[in-house]
């Protein structure tokens, strides 16, 4: 027990040193600064009273802080209890909690469905936590380069108890098969889909192109539940939120799921814009590429 506690303390210290050093280097290099500023100008009406320089600095610090967690502290999430009644749970100087109302939703997620997520906060930590709770999670990721890094992510980061929850499913039909098997299928539902079947939609008050996959899945498997989760951080507390999205007919897109998901994500961004890492991506490029050339 003492050895595990000492190792957890060492990992947290290493993560803190890494994040501070990496943050300073990225700010000095101006990493993604132009893209962040362009996005903030474009959605200024939806994200008012935000100072671009302050947000950029906070955003970079949060990115490197969560990267440090990913590199040094991820094993903590892989040792969490499987029983929701065991929370709050203390380990390695952290307290892990379930948000009010999350437990029954997590129970329903054990029966499968669609799980939509975004580049918001420490989203990578949610996968191992859900797996530890006995949820049959599978997630499709675009491979990253170089290939060796992608193998590390698949085998070390996106794996719990020796089982990888990343899948190499290449067609929507394969995703339907996973739903039929009772799996909880996860996909990043960020904006700016650049495929011909992308759906028109609105995000942060601006036109955007949306991922059509959730619409396809729900069209062929109507009644499939749709969930969102996010990880809240309050000091040393890590709080897992889980909610079911209740779909309504949407006039802004052909996909009620994406429309409701965007409203959920906009609410999170309004709470803390520096935790949405989509600001570092050209989220509106497919609608108007000139946004990023000014």
């Amino acid at each position: 027990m003492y050895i595990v506690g000492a190792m957890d303390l060492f990992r947290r210290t290493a993560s803190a040193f890494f994040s501070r050093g990496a943050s300073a280097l990225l700010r000095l290099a101006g990493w993604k600064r132009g893209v962040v500023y362009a996005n903030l100008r474009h959605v200024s009406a939806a994200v008012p009273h935000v100072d671009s320089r302050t947000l950029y600095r906070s955003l970079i610090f949060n990115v490197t802080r969560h990267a440090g967690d990913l590199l040094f502290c991820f094993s903590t999430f892989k040792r969490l209890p499987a029983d929701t009644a065991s929370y709050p749970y203390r380990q390695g100087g952290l307290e892990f909690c379930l948000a009010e109302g999350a437990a029954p939703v997590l129970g329903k997620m054990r029966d499968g469905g669609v799980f939509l997520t975004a580049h918001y906060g420490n989203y990578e930590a949610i996968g191992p936590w859900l797996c530890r709770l006995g949820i049959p999670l599978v997630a499709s990721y675009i491979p990253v380069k170089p290939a060796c890094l992608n193998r590390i992510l698949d085998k070390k980061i996106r794996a719990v108890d020796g089982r990888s929850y990343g899948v190499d499913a290449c067609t929507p039909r394969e995703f339907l098969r996973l739903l039929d098997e009772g799996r909880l299928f996860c996909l990043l539902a960020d904006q700016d889909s650049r495929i011909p079947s992308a759906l028109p939609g609105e995000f942060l008050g601006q036109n955007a192109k949306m991922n059509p996959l959730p619409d396809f899945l729900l069209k062929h498997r109507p009644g499939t539940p749709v969930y969102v989760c996010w990880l809240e951080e309050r000091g040393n507390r890590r709080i897992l939120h889980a909610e079911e999205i209740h779909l309504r007919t949407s006039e802004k897109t052909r996909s009620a799921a994406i429309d409701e998901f965007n409203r959920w994500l906009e609410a999170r961004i309004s709470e803390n814009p520096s935790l949405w890492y989509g600001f570092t991506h050209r989220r509106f490029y497919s609608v108007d590429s000139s946004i990023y050339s000014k």
Side-chain angles (χ1 to χ4, degrees):
M1 181 65 70
Y2 291 111
I3 294 176
V4 173
M7 287 300 298
D8 284 334
L9 178 60
F10 170 78
R11 293 189 184 102
R12 290 180 61 198
T13 302
S15 176
F17 274 105
F18 169 85
S19 64
R20 291 184 182 277
S23 177
L25 288 174
L26 290 178
R27 291 200 312 271
L28 183 64
W31 179 76
K32 296 288 188 176
R33 182 185 290 126
V35 174
V36 172
Y37 284 10
N39 280 323
L40 287 172
R41 287 193 298 268
H42 191 59
V43 301
S44 58
V47 190
H49 314 302
V50 170
D51 179 75
S52 297
R53 292 184 179 181
T54 301
L55 185 139
Y56 176 75
R57 186 182 183 92
S58 298
L59 183 71
I60 295 301
F61 177 73
N62 286 330
V63 166
T64 55
R65 179 168 59 87
H66 289 144
D69 285 347
L70 185 69
L71 292 171
F72 298 101
C73 303
F74 229 55
S75 60
T76 303
F77 288 91
K78 298 180 182 183
R79 301 196 304 265
L80 293 176
D83 184 2
T84 56
S86 300
Y87 295 89
Y89 174 77
R90 292 174 177 80
Q91 178 178 279
L94 298 175
E95 182 179 63
F96 297 87
C97 310
L98 303 181
E100 183 177 357
V105 177
L106 293 166
K108 292 182 64 176
M109 292 169 74
R110 292 191 178 101
D111 295 325
V114 173
F115 169 34
L116 301 179
T117 188
H119 291 96
Y120 181 83
N122 196 357
Y123 64 96
E124 283 281 8
I126 297 173
W129 198 341
L130 294 181
C131 289
R132 288 295 299 146
L133 289 168
I135 292 169
L137 177 70
V138 290
S140 178
Y141 296 95
I142 296 175
V144 300
K145 297 180 180 180
C148 60
L149 176 58
N150 194 67
R151 285 194 295 270
I152 292 173
L153 287 171
D154 281 341
K155 302 299 182 182
K156 301 296 184 181
I157 303 300
R158 297 166 181 161
V160 177
D161 297 331
R163 183 186 76 85
S164 174
Y165 56 84
V167 293
D168 188 20
C170 300
T171 69
R173 295 293 176 183
E174 292 180 76
F175 302 143
L176 290 175
R177 176 181 58 79
L178 293 170
L179 291 179
D180 292 340
E181 292 176 355
R183 302 295 188 93
L184 181 72
F185 176 65
C186 171
L187 72 151
L188 279 163
D190 281 326
Q191 300 69 35
D192 198 49
S193 177
R194 300 181 188 180
I195 61 177
S197 58
L199 299 176
E202 183 180 293
F203 181 66
L204 291 174
Q206 300 294 338
N207 292 329
K209 293 292 184 70
M210 305 301 174
N211 188 337
L213 183 54
D215 183 65
F216 173 87
L217 296 177
L218 294 174
K219 177 181 178 180
H220 290 274
R221 297 297 183 272
T224 299
V226 181
Y227 303 99
V228 293
C229 294
W230 73 100
L231 191 61
E232 181 184 358
E233 300 173 325
R234 294 184 190 174
N236 289 335
R237 300 179 71 202
R238 300 295 181 266
I239 306 168
L240 179 62
H241 292 258
E243 294 182 0
E244 183 175 358
I245 291 181
H246 298 287
L247 306 183
R248 295 170 293 180
T249 302
S250 172
E251 297 178 356
K252 296 179 180 178
T253 71
R254 288 177 293 175
S255 173
I258 288 295
D259 193 54
E260 292 298 323
F261 173 80
N262 284 344
R263 303 294 81 78
W264 165 83
L265 182 54
E266 287 170 343
R268 303 287 77 75
I269 294 171
S270 68
E271 291 173 355
N272 191 339
S274 68
L275 286 176
W276 186 56
Y277 305 140
F279 279 126
T280 67
H281 304 152
R282 297 185 295 177
R283 280 288 164 238
F284 305 94
Y285 184 87
S286 57
V287 173
D288 184 2
S289 61
S290 67
I291 295 166
Y292 303 99
S293 59
K294 296 178 182 177

